[in-house]
Amino acid sequence: MIDPVDNFEIPAEWIKRASIPLDELKLRISSGRYVLLSDGSLLRRGFTTGTTAAAAAKAAVLSLKGDISELSVPTPVGIRVFLPVHAKDGKASAIKDSGDHSIDVTGGIEIQAEAKENETIIIKAGYGIGSKNGKPAINPSPMRQIEEAIKEALLETGSRGALVTISIPRGKEIAKKTLNEKIGIIGGLSILGTTGFVEPWNEHLGETKEELIEKADKVVLTTGRIGMRFSSMLFPGYTVILIGSDISRGLAAAKGEVVICGLPGLILKWANPDILKNSGYLTIQEMIDANQENPVIDRALDEAVRVSGKRIVLLDRNGTIFRDTHERNINPINPDGTL
């Protein structure tokens, strides 16, 4: 069984642990709305601002011919999704559904669209959508998604084009709770979404990582977004923190049980900064691709366990486990530096 959003091949063991019938599980997974975790439980994905804006834009165009209360829109990963909307006389709104995302400051926001007949398709950013370097903060993937949704509406209504203005009434207010200003986006929120779906976990990109780590009884420290996604699936019940290269800082803050999980690059470089010296390889991934059994990899992994005293799980980019030290007998280094 393949998760159609991230193309992850779901292990058979996870499927056996699911509490719902197989046919129903397949239906839920194929919809893109659900993620199966390693313990057999399911979490619900939400929709991005891009998907929500696409729904509002399509509804606005359709409502030039009649009222609309529900419709479907395409997503960048090729899955069609249905959203409730409120649309009448060329004005429409849709509410962003965050699914089971733990902390989504944009959850529940209203995205509005207003459509007017036009010779071609023109998409404008209105109030509450931020800008960066003078350009609307609508990323390319959701912009294409919005345009495709408008094209569907035009095909259905027989119209030639539409001028659609998208706005977020509380955009400026909500943007203050995000990192937008720090990355140069001013005046509102971004319209985002490479898949059309919001994963059902918090990526902890704020400035409270140490506090979150300290409070967690069980925590996974992960190095990137791929690690974030699959760690959340592999370790239900754990708080998963995206720590990047600051593994030592994360370990220092931790009070409870800790697992380090992610792609090999940052983890092995953290354990052995000179791992590539005189190796003939430019990256750790290149080293792994050449020989997955290269003893240099395991020596660096053993060093990581000795230094941290923690379980370390290295992942391939497709989410499969490349190395897991759970069964390895390695003596950690004591705080005074002795074995």
Side-chain angles (χ1 to χ4, degrees):
M1 192 180 301
I2 303 293
D3 186 314
V5 175
D6 53 29
N7 289 318
F8 174 62
E9 185 173 358
I10 302 171
E13 294 79 8
W14 299 13
I15 296 171
K16 290 177 182 178
R17 297 182 189 122
S19 60
I20 62 175
L22 182 60
D23 287 346
E24 184 179 349
L25 178 63
K26 288 180 178 178
L27 187 62
R28 292 194 186 188
I29 295 299
S30 65
S31 74
R33 289 303 308 270
Y34 291 87
V35 180
L36 182 66
L37 307 186
S38 63
D39 64 355
S41 60
L42 288 164
L43 290 179
R44 191 170 63 94
R45 286 186 173 101
F47 294 128
T48 59
T49 47
T51 295
T52 311
K58 182 177 180 179
V61 175
L62 288 173
S63 72
L64 291 170
K65 304 294 184 180
D67 297 355
I68 302 295
S69 61
E70 185 184 50
L71 48 68
S72 70
V73 293
T75 62
V77 291
I79 301 171
R80 296 198 68 84
V81 294
F82 287 83
L83 287 82
V85 294
H86 177 75
K88 184 177 182 178
D89 299 329
K91 295 182 179 180
S93 66
I95 304 300
K96 185 174 183 292
D97 178 357
S98 294
D100 290 329
H101 192 293
S102 56
I103 305 172
D104 181 2
V105 296
T106 63
I109 64 168
E110 179 186 23
I111 298 182
Q112 297 180 347
E114 182 173 359
K116 297 180 180 179
E117 292 185 357
N118 198 59
E119 290 299 308
T120 60
I121 295 175
I122 298 176
I123 301 169
K124 289 187 174 182
Y127 180 87
I129 294 179
S131 63
K132 185 173 184 179
N133 299 324
K135 297 181 179 180
I138 304 178
N139 279 14
S141 183
M143 179 62 87
R144 289 190 295 270
Q145 184 182 10
I146 294 167
E147 185 174 357
E148 285 302 313
I150 292 172
K151 286 180 179 178
E152 290 183 352
L154 293 173
L155 185 63
E156 186 172 332
T157 60
S159 303
R160 296 182 61 178
L163 168 60
V164 179
T165 302
I166 299 169
S167 59
I168 306 175
R170 296 181 62 218
K172 286 187 177 181
E173 174 190 344
I174 301 298
K176 296 176 182 178
K177 301 178 182 180
T178 73
L179 299 177
N180 276 11
E181 288 189 3
K182 292 185 178 181
I183 59 175
I185 296 173
I186 60 173
L189 292 168
S190 311
I191 302 294
L192 302 171
T194 56
T195 66
F197 295 90
V198 173
E199 296 298 331
W201 36 75
N202 179 22
E203 294 192 357
H204 302 308
L205 296 178
E207 298 177 344
T208 59
K209 292 178 182 177
E210 283 91 346
E211 183 180 350
L212 290 165
I213 294 169
E214 185 176 351
K215 289 180 178 179
D217 293 329
K218 298 191 294 183
V219 63
V220 178
L221 302 179
T222 189
T223 53
R225 292 181 183 272
I226 290 176
M228 183 78 208
R229 176 186 302 160
F230 293 114
S231 294
S232 297
M233 296 165 70
L234 286 164
F235 298 101
Y238 284 68
T239 299
V240 181
I241 306 292
L242 181 58
I243 200 68
S245 59
D246 295 328
I247 298 172
S248 296
R249 181 161 62 97
L251 288 170
K255 305 297 183 184
E257 180 184 340
V258 178
V259 177
I260 301 171
C261 181
L263 297 180
L266 287 178
I267 295 173
L268 296 184
K269 277 188 177 180
W270 166 74
N272 178 11
D274 295 324
I275 187 172
L276 294 174
K277 188 176 181 180
N278 300 321
S279 69
Y281 300 106
L282 296 176
T283 66
I284 290 176
Q285 190 59 53
E286 184 181 333
M287 177 187 292
I288 292 171
D289 290 341
N291 178 13
Q292 293 193 2
E293 304 304 321
N294 190 325
V296 173
I297 298 168
D298 287 312
R299 285 199 295 268
L301 186 58
D302 291 350
E303 182 66 14
V305 176
R306 277 193 285 265
V307 171
S308 68
K310 310 300 180 185
R311 178 183 179 184
I312 298 175
V313 178
L314 302 182
L315 302 175
D316 290 332
R317 298 190 71 84
N318 62 4
T320 58
I321 294 175
F322 171 63
R323 293 284 196 279
D324 185 347
T325 64
H326 193 58
E327 303 298 329
R328 299 167 72 88
N329 294 315
I330 304 167
N331 293 320
I333 294 177
N334 291 322
D336 62 0
T338 61
L339 294 176

